[in-house]
Amino acid sequence: MADKNLKVEELRQLSDDQLADQLLTLKKEQFNLRFQNATGQLQSTARVREVRRAVARVKTLQSARKSVAKKTEA
């Protein structure tokens, strides 16, 4: 995903594996941003908030998919 701001509609189109990969990518970026902030090299503090919210979006979608899968199994 080249777009920095992830939309929910775009995330819903991804498969479960792609969502997991996206979450891993976001977590790595979040770590790097925290490291840059600690060393005083962070350029855009707003990006920290964007990444944190994107992580929450991905986790929410994963949770919702697990919930739906669990209901269909029962």
Side-chain angles (χ1 to χ4, degrees):
M1 297 216 154
D3 188 15
K4 296 258 184 188
N5 297 322
L6 299 173
K7 305 286 185 208
V8 176
E9 296 83 24
E10 295 170 356
L11 291 173
R12 285 187 180 139
Q13 295 173 358
L14 299 178
S15 69
D16 290 341
D17 291 335
Q18 290 172 324
L19 269 181
D21 290 341
Q22 187 66 38
L23 181 62
L24 182 63
T25 303
L26 288 167
K27 286 287 200 173
K28 286 180 182 179
E29 182 178 357
Q30 189 177 35
F31 174 79
N32 289 333
L33 289 171
R34 281 197 318 260
F35 192 83
Q36 288 174 6
N37 190 30
T39 60
Q41 298 174 350
L42 186 61
Q43 297 293 324
S44 173
T45 56
R47 185 67 186 143
V48 175
R49 180 179 182 183
E50 292 170 1
V51 171
R52 186 178 69 239
R53 289 182 176 197
V55 167
R57 284 186 195 102
V58 170
K59 285 186 173 185
T60 300
L61 281 173
Q62 286 178 330
S63 175
R65 287 183 182 182
K66 285 181 185 177
S67 176
V68 168
K70 194 172 186 179
K71 286 182 183 179
T72 57
E73 288 177 0

